[in-house]
Amino acid sequence: MKKIAIISLGCPKNQVDADMLCHRLMAAGYETTAALEEANAIIVNTCGFIESAKQEAIENILEATTYKSGEAKPRVVVTGCLAERYREEIQKEIPEVDATVGIGCNGDIVEILNRVFADEKVEAFGPKDALSIEEKRIISTPRHYAYLKIAEGCDNRCTYCAIPLIRGPLRSRSIESVLTEARWLASEGVKELILVAQDVTAYGDDLGKNGINELLAGLNAIEGIEWIRLLYAYPERVSDEFIDAMVQNNKVVPYLDLPIQHINDEVLRRMNRKGTRETVISAINRLRAAMPGMTLRTTLITGFPGETEEQFIELCEFVKATEFDRLGCFAYSEEEGTPAAKLEQMPNELRESRAEQVMEIQAKVMAKKQAEKLGQTQRVICDGMDEETGLYLCRSAADAPEIDAVTYVRSDAVPIAEGEFLTVKIIDSDVFDLYAERVEEN
């Protein structure tokens, strides 16, 4: 039995693709392993969204090829966004790669592996819409939470973004397809569903309707699911009806990832963002009014072509005044083939410097917000234990796994099981994380 190791990089949407690949391979009789030195094949499922992601992907591909000198002599297969976007460059620059596979050929992974094990060099590419978005998968996350991809691709056409070039236009799953997978996840012990798409608020647009509100109602009725979390909602699509759906479906946690990218109207126009400063502020105010204490997360871009000092200052003042609960800021990365890449570019040092300034502002905001939680009680879910400190790693509804803060919980007398919900009291905080002790529940 041949062993396969899968390295999946980038976003949760890419991880779901890797989960489908893994299921196909296991169904065909392959065994998976986390030990690269034991693998007969190493699949690197890459991200190619921005320059830093590309560099990470290349580093992982090169590392995978170093195992070829070991006893197992694994074949190296490159899949995902980098493979889709840079097929010729990968084969030319890294000839040790045995197969380069575009997203449209993910479904052929078993046949492709058979070919590379027969010492054939493979390049496999197909239509982007041949990528399946509703087949069987494994659950690679801890069993109590899972990402649920509800759509693929994007129609927004932001001028800086390569996603439509890589992944194609929006393709939504049917509501019944999503609900069927959600019921299966619940039967496997999943308690928290994290809905992902490039834009969850666009879900269903290609089917002739905005279906996210109906979908939330269906998911809310599934037994065993306790939390439903939404990532990547665009502010111009945050309608009153969408907010009502979040409020009325009690399992939907008061948390929203609202990527706004900038706040200056001229910068937003050059980015081809559909909303304006007023649109963004309206969405934030309506969300906070409907769900007091809700957690808002956002992402920003600094150094977009043409961003003036005054426009950057406007962004900084907005970050100070709005006090997002969670915020990530990235220096603009010009991506080949996008309209923004053709514009006059700013120096990298200035882009980076501005991103650092925004994050310094946000660090103060978050430290203040975390300190305000001292003495409060929270319901959290346990993601496991930090072996180094002996503290349990937990999250409240305010925190998505892997990207947000952690609540470290001491519970010496009563062990906490992974996936267990419990009540804790916050006793300390730092810039990002909280520290708590278990509260005995009646």
Side-chain angles (χ1 to χ4, degrees):
M1 182 182 292
K2 286 185 167 63
K3 294 183 178 180
I4 310 294
I6 300 179
I7 302 169
S8 191
L9 306 171
C11 67
K13 300 183 290 295
N14 211 36
Q15 183 61 56
V16 173
D17 292 345
D19 293 349
M20 293 179 181
L21 281 174
C22 189
H23 185 276
R24 276 184 174 270
L25 293 168
M26 293 175 69
Y30 286 102
E31 180 182 340
T32 60
T33 178
L36 299 185
E37 67 276 7
E38 297 178 0
N40 301 111
I42 301 173
I43 299 175
V44 186
N45 186 38
T46 59
C47 177
F49 180 46
I50 57 176
E51 187 60 33
S52 59
K54 291 183 232 175
Q55 290 301 320
E56 182 186 24
I58 292 167
E59 289 168 6
N60 275 270
I61 295 168
L62 292 174
E63 181 186 359
T65 64
T66 64
Y67 288 90
K68 283 177 168 283
S69 60
E71 184 178 341
K73 294 180 172 52
R75 308 304 199 267
V76 174
V77 178
V78 180
T79 64
C81 291
L82 194 79
E84 178 69 26
R85 196 171 179 199
Y86 297 105
R87 61 184 80 177
E88 295 176 1
E89 291 87 342
I90 291 171
Q91 292 289 6
K92 179 181 177 181
E93 300 297 332
I94 316 177
E96 298 90 344
V97 169
D98 297 286
T100 310
V101 184
I103 61 172
C105 286
N106 275 14
D108 301 324
I109 191 63
V110 174
E111 178 196 344
I112 289 166
L113 278 179
N114 290 339
R115 291 167 63 188
V116 298
F117 282 130
D119 295 324
E120 183 180 344
K121 198 91 163 177
V122 178
E123 290 186 48
F125 294 87
K128 294 175 174 58
D129 60 7
L131 173 68
S132 176
I133 54 177
E134 50 187 45
E135 68 180 69
K136 293 181 179 179
R137 55 180 279 208
I138 59 130
I139 303 171
S140 58
T141 52
R143 303 296 286 191
H144 57 281
Y145 71 83
Y147 298 106
L148 179 56
K149 183 158 69 169
I150 63 175
E152 180 57 87
C154 186
D155 290 339
N156 288 336
R157 299 287 173 178
C158 301
T159 58
Y160 53 83
C161 184
I163 292 297
L165 301 175
I166 300 170
R167 294 279 175 165
L170 175 69
R171 289 188 295 132
S172 300
R173 298 173 61 177
S174 69
I175 286 181
E176 190 49 47
S177 167
V178 178
L179 293 180
T180 296
E181 182 174 344
R183 294 185 193 105
W184 170 73
L185 291 169
S187 73
E188 293 291 311
V190 170
K191 299 177 182 178
E192 177 181 6
L193 292 177
I194 305 170
L195 306 192
V196 293
Q198 195 62 31
D199 176 2
V200 297
T201 40
Y203 169 74
D205 279 7
D206 54 318
L207 304 178
K209 60 179 180 179
N210 187 333
I212 188 65
N213 303 341
E214 183 181 346
L215 178 61
L216 291 179
L219 294 171
N220 200 72
I222 295 176
E223 187 176 349
I225 299 301
E226 298 195 40
W227 281 357
I228 300 168
R229 189 181 302 276
L230 298 167
L231 298 186
Y232 323 124
Y234 280 51
E236 67 272 13
R237 295 179 181 275
V238 177
S239 64
D240 290 341
E241 292 76 18
F242 171 69
I243 295 174
D244 287 344
M246 288 191 68
V247 172
Q248 292 166 7
N249 293 294
N250 64 305
K251 294 179 182 179
V252 178
V253 296
Y255 173 107
L256 197 62
D257 189 320
L258 196 72
I260 64 171
Q261 311 309 351
H262 214 281
I263 197 59
N264 175 267
D265 280 343
E266 177 58 24
V267 176
L268 291 171
R269 185 190 66 77
R270 290 200 304 275
M271 289 179 167
N272 197 36
R273 301 288 289 184
K274 302 304 187 290
T276 62
R277 177 188 175 99
E278 182 179 348
T279 306
V280 172
I281 292 174
S282 170
I284 292 168
N285 289 342
R286 286 181 292 115
L287 284 163
R288 285 177 166 171
M291 291 169 278
M294 86 167 300
T295 299
L296 281 179
R297 176 181 177 81
T298 197
T299 49
L300 302 172
I301 295 173
T302 56
F304 186 78
E307 182 190 56
T308 65
E309 181 70 19
E310 291 75 17
Q311 290 166 345
F312 172 65
I313 291 172
E314 180 183 350
L315 179 64
C316 291
E317 293 302 318
F318 173 75
V319 171
K320 291 177 186 176
T322 305
E323 295 193 335
F324 285 98
D325 303 273
R326 311 282 184 261
L327 184 149
C329 186
F330 303 91
Y332 166 72
S333 171
E334 65 263 32
E335 298 301 315
E336 300 95 331
T338 63
K342 300 174 184 176
L343 303 175
E344 184 177 352
Q345 304 296 311
M346 298 176 62
N348 283 326
E349 297 80 6
L350 184 55
R351 304 180 209 176
E352 296 285 352
S353 171
R354 288 183 174 180
E356 290 170 4
Q357 291 178 60
V358 171
M359 290 310 297
E360 287 171 4
I361 294 169
Q362 179 60 22
K364 294 177 182 178
V365 170
M366 190 159 179
K368 169 178 168 285
K369 281 181 164 284
Q370 296 295 72
E372 289 172 350
K373 296 174 182 176
L374 294 181
Q376 294 181 7
T377 57
Q378 292 184 346
R379 186 173 186 242
V380 298
I381 191 169
C382 179
D383 285 339
M385 176 181 276
D386 181 359
E387 298 296 340
E388 188 173 324
T389 63
L391 299 176
Y392 291 94
L393 300 170
C394 299
R395 290 180 295 109
S396 70
D399 299 295
E402 302 177 344
I403 58 173
D404 290 328
V406 171
T407 300
Y408 292 94
V409 178
R410 181 172 299 283
S411 181
D412 297 327
V414 183
I416 305 172
E418 187 175 287
E420 179 182 347
F421 283 96
L422 62 149
T423 302
V424 300
K425 182 178 180 181
I426 309 303
I427 58 174
D428 199 3
S429 70
D430 56 28
V431 175
F432 298 108
D433 299 318
L434 298 172
Y435 299 83
E437 57 188 15
R438 184 170 192 159
V439 175
E440 292 302 322
E441 301 178 52
N442 296 328

